[in-house]
């Protein structure tokens, strides 16, 4: 959801022919530096009081830590700040701690996922955008200082999502340091590039599938097909599924090398020669082809939108046919007109078109399980 939100904001801005900067913040030891007193005050502001607040305070305070290295053990020290990592509650407390960052600026679009913060800045004139972005980043820096959070500026990067390739010296600053401009950046496990082609991510997934196919090949002589299918699901299908509705709605030529690797893996799984046709193999193993995986995940996103199960900001991107004389078609979406390939490859745009192509019975499924079946 977070990556879809980021990419759709970028696509919408590019469709309007705006300049777009994407800034990816990196906080130093974000979970370890949360100030307990500040967190307590923020929890009270959110309405968490009395016994609930005492319970959370008891959960965070009087925690001990020590270092055990070989034969040496340090003294036990009380932890003065931070929330426990690896817990369910830790990320939620961090989100509540940093959530007021949205109030700092009316110009910036922020997307938060735990300690990953992405900032998008848009404007018609690039020089004006550079100036205004630096002004807004000063506000972000001030808020982080007040909350006793530190930025790792050397790991904070920005991308200029601008398809006109206008040569301008872009200098964005945080904490008086220049933020490095990059062509691509890994966001929540997906490699995003300045043209939204997803070429690097597709190549990385292809390499992972190729390595996993080699593992399958080494094991095919000693393992039963059922065990090989478990390995395929774990090492190959998982990578093909992850966020495929974002990077997979793409040119066929970009996806073809990855699909070839998937077919190679399917042949190894069924222990057949390298030139065997794979249609029957996919059907026999009940695995989806790459393009089917992409359509499947995109249609699930459309079903959630049709069921109004998406967060408000994402839900409002899905618009319906409002023609009062076409009662049969009022349950279909009305995709926005797009003029660029960036817009045509949008997850939301593709989801609406795929949903509209479904039969009425499928569209009226009562729940996600029924829709998948």
């Amino acid at each position: 959801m977070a990556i879809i939100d980021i990419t759709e904001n970028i696509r919408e801005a590019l469709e309007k022919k705006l300049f777009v900067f994407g800034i990816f913040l990196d906080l130093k030891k974000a979970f370890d530096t949360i100030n307990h007193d500040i967190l307590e005050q923020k929890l009270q502001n959110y309405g968490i009081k009395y016994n609930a607040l005492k319970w959370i305070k008891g959960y965070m305070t009087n925690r001990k830590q020590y270092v055990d290295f070989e034969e040496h053990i340090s003294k036990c020290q009380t932890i003065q700040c931070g929330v426990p990592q690896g817990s369910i509650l830790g990320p939620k407390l961090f989100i509540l701690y940093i959530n007021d960052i949205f109030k700092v600026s009316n110009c910036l679009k922020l997307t938060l996922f735990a300690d990953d913060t992405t900032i998008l800045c848009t404007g018609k004139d690039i020089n004006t955008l550079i100036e205004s972005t630096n002004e807004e980043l000063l506000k972000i820096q001030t808020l982080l200082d007040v909350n006793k959070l530190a930025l790792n500026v050397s790991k904070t990067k920005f991308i200029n999502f601008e398809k006109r390739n206008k040569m301008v010296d872009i200098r964005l600053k945080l904490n008086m340091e220049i933020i490095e401009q990059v062509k691509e950046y890994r966001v929540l496990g997906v490699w995003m590039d300045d043209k939204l082609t997803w070429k690097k991510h597709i190549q990385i997934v292809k390499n992972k599938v190729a390595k996993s196919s080699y593992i399958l090949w080494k094991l095919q002589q000693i393992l039963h097909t059922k065990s090989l299918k478990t390995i395929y699901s774990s090492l190959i299908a998982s990578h093909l599924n992850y966020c495929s509705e974002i990077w997979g709605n793409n040119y066929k030529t970009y996806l073809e090398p990855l699909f070839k690797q998937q077919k190679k893996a399917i042949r190894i799984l069924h222990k057949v020669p390298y030139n065997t046709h794979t249609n029957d193999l996919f059907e026999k193993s009940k695995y989806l082809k790459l393009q089917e995986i992409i359509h499947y995940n995109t249609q699930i996103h459309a079903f959630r939108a049709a069921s109004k199960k998406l967060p408000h900001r994402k839900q409002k991107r899905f618009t319906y046919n409002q023609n009062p004389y076409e009662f049969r078609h009022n349950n279909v979406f009305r995709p926005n007109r797009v003029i660029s390939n960036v817009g045509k490859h949008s997850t939301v745009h593709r989801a609406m078109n795929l949903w509209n192509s479904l039969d009425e019975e499928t569209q009226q499924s009562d729940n996600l399980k029924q829709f998948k079946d």
Side-chain angles (χ1 to χ4, degrees), residues 264-297:
K264 181 180 178 181
I266 285 292
R267 292 187 185 104
I268 295 171
L269 180 66
H270 289 277
K271 305 177 182 180
V272 297
Y274 73 94
N275 57 352
T276 305
H277 289 294
T278 56
N279 288 339
D280 292 339
L281 301 180
F282 276 106
E283 188 173 343
K284 182 180 178 181
S285 58
K286 296 183 179 179
Y287 283 123
L288 298 177
K289 299 176 183 177
L290 176 61
Q291 198 61 56
E292 293 170 341
I293 292 171
I294 295 164
H295 286 177
Y296 177 76
N297 289 331

Side-chain angles (χ1 to χ4, degrees), residues 197-259:
T197 65
W198 312 103
K199 284 183 179 180
K200 180 166 182 175
H201 184 78
I202 293 169
Q203 181 62 41
I204 288 173
V205 174
K206 174 179 168 290
N207 292 342
K208 288 179 178 178
V209 172
K211 291 178 182 178
S212 300
S213 297
Y214 178 74
I215 294 172
L216 279 177
W217 178 75
K218 295 286 283 185
L219 296 174
Q220 68 172 335
Q221 301 302 325
I222 58 175
L223 292 180
H224 191 271
T225 301
K226 184 177 180 181
S227 300
L228 293 175
K229 288 181 71 173
T230 301
I231 295 172
Y232 176 92
S233 298
S234 302
L235 300 183
I236 295 177
S238 58
H239 292 300
L240 298 177
N241 269 288
Y242 183 66
C243 292
S244 62
E245 64 270 38
I246 299 170
W247 55 263
N249 287 302
N250 214 323
Y251 294 109
K252 186 178 180 180
T253 52
Y254 293 174
L255 299 170
E256 189 61 29
L258 177 56
F259 181 43

Side-chain angles (χ1 to χ4, degrees), residues 145-157:
D145 291 341
V146 168
N147 285 284
K148 300 184 178 181
L149 293 171
L151 265 175
N152 192 337
V153 182
S154 64
K155 291 186 178 180
T156 295
K157 313 293 182 185

Side-chain angles (χ1 to χ4, degrees), residues 127-183:
N127 293 311
T128 304
L129 179 59
I130 293 169
E131 184 179 344
S132 62
T133 300
N134 280 320
E135 290 175 359
E136 299 303 311
L137 287 177
L138 275 174
K139 298 177 184 178
I140 297 289
Q141 182 65 58
T142 301
L143 178 119
L144 294 174
D145 291 341
V146 168
N147 285 284
K148 300 184 178 181
L149 293 171
L151 265 175
N152 192 337
V153 182
S154 64
K155 291 186 178 180
T156 295
K157 313 293 182 185
F158 87 92
I159 295 178
N160 176 23
F161 296 97
E162 201 278 305
K163 54 186 179 181
R164 284 166 282 183
N165 292 319
K166 191 174 180 179
M167 298 300 294
V168 177
D169 183 24
I170 303 172
R171 291 179 177 269
L172 302 183
K173 296 181 180 179
L174 262 172
N175 202 21
M176 302 305 291
E177 294 183 48
I178 299 291
I179 304 173
E180 182 186 356
Q181 181 177 351
V182 295
K183 292 288 186 181

